[in-house]
Amino acid sequence: MQGVVTEFDDYKGLGTVRGEDGRELSFHCTQIADGTRTIEIGAKVTFDVVAGHHGKWEASGLTPR
């Protein structure tokens, strides 16, 4: 999928990405593919959707476009 990072908290390492379909998905900094553990709000990314904690869908393998 493709989308845009809408939120990211450097301290907690948690963020949200909005997919092209309008769905908002959470992600942890360890899911950023290049290993940097930080990403800018507004960054355009590609990602996979995977089953996450507590039965929620999450974004995984975020790669800046």
Side-chain angles (χ1 to χ4, degrees):
M1 289 190 72
Q2 295 183 5
V4 176
V5 176
T6 57
E7 297 178 44
F8 189 74
D9 183 324
D10 279 318
Y11 181 75
K12 293 181 180 179
L14 299 174
T16 305
V17 62
R18 180 180 298 125
E20 290 180 325
D21 60 359
R23 187 167 41 161
E24 299 240 349
L25 299 162
S26 300
F27 68 92
H28 187 262
C29 64
T30 57
Q31 296 304 319
I32 301 170
D34 64 7
T36 59
R37 296 198 176 228
T38 189
I39 195 163
E40 294 292 321
I41 294 172
K44 295 179 181 179
V45 294
T46 58
F47 60 94
D48 296 316
V49 178
V50 298
H53 302 291
H54 309 292
K56 295 182 180 180
W57 295 103
E58 296 180 356
S60 176
L62 278 82
T63 305
R65 292 190 277 153

